Amino acid sequence: MSVRHKSSTVDGRLEEVFDAPVAELYERAAGPDASAAVSRAMELRSFLALAEEQVARVRDRVHEAMAADRDMDELSADELRMDAQWLDAALDARDGYRAALDDLLRTMPPPLPQPRPFRTAQQTVTTALPPALAAPAPQRAGAVRARRP
């Protein structure tokens, strides 16, 4: 499954900040007019979603190993130690990506207001001059006189 379709713990905040669903934000980030903030936010969100999936996998594996109905002879301290190290690394990565995303969202410039289309009521007046007043202008009308030395 693509990280675009995995949920993350920051999806609601991203949707609130950028005023769009995560799927649309990925589309924006891939577009030619993508802002640096959207591109970086979605990249960090992708990394975060993977880190959170790793945390969940290790957690589920430890829960399964420690299930009450599980045979105690199957427990392995070495496997649990390895899972604890893996969980520690995955949590560190998750915390780092969340912190980076929080910093980005806190320091990015506010979004530009969306231009709203507007109409101006422009009235035009057309008049017809009577034929007597509509005579052609003289040839030198509007000509500038030359200065005399």
Side-chain angles (χ1 to χ4, degrees):
M1 178 187 279
S2 169
V3 292
R4 290 180 179 213
H5 304 294
K6 294 181 187 305
S7 63
S8 83
T9 56
V10 297
D11 289 353
R13 182 154 181 235
L14 288 169
E15 290 175 352
E16 180 182 315
V17 168
F18 292 108
D19 195 31
V22 169
E24 185 180 317
L25 293 175
Y26 272 112
E27 293 300 318
R28 277 194 217 168
D33 299 332
S35 72
V38 171
S39 296
R40 289 182 184 131
M42 298 319 293
E43 185 174 10
L44 284 168
R45 186 228 173 256
S46 295
F47 294 147
L48 176 63
L50 288 175
E52 289 178 344
E53 180 183 15
Q54 289 176 335
V55 169
R57 282 183 182 183
V58 175
R59 178 202 59 205
D60 293 348
R61 187 168 51 241
V62 170
H63 281 245
E64 184 181 323
M66 302 300 290
D69 61 343
R70 186 90 188 244
D71 185 2
M72 286 190 171
D73 292 334
E74 294 177 5
L75 280 176
S76 167
D78 288 337
E79 285 181 18
L80 289 173
R81 246 188 308 281
M82 181 61 86
D83 284 338
Q85 289 173 348
W86 191 348
L87 182 61
D88 193 36
L91 286 170
D92 283 347
R94 176 185 175 268
D95 293 345
Y97 292 133
R98 283 186 63 116
L101 193 52
D102 286 342
D103 285 346
L104 174 70
L105 295 177
R106 187 176 58 257
T107 60
M108 70 181 197
L112 297 174
Q114 296 295 327
R116 293 186 180 174
F118 63 94
R119 290 186 187 182
T120 57
Q122 213 172 8
Q123 296 179 356
T124 56
V125 177
T126 56
T127 60
L129 295 174
L133 296 176
Q139 279 186 339
R140 294 190 46 118
V144 178
R145 291 187 179 179
R147 285 191 166 185
R148 293 189 181 181

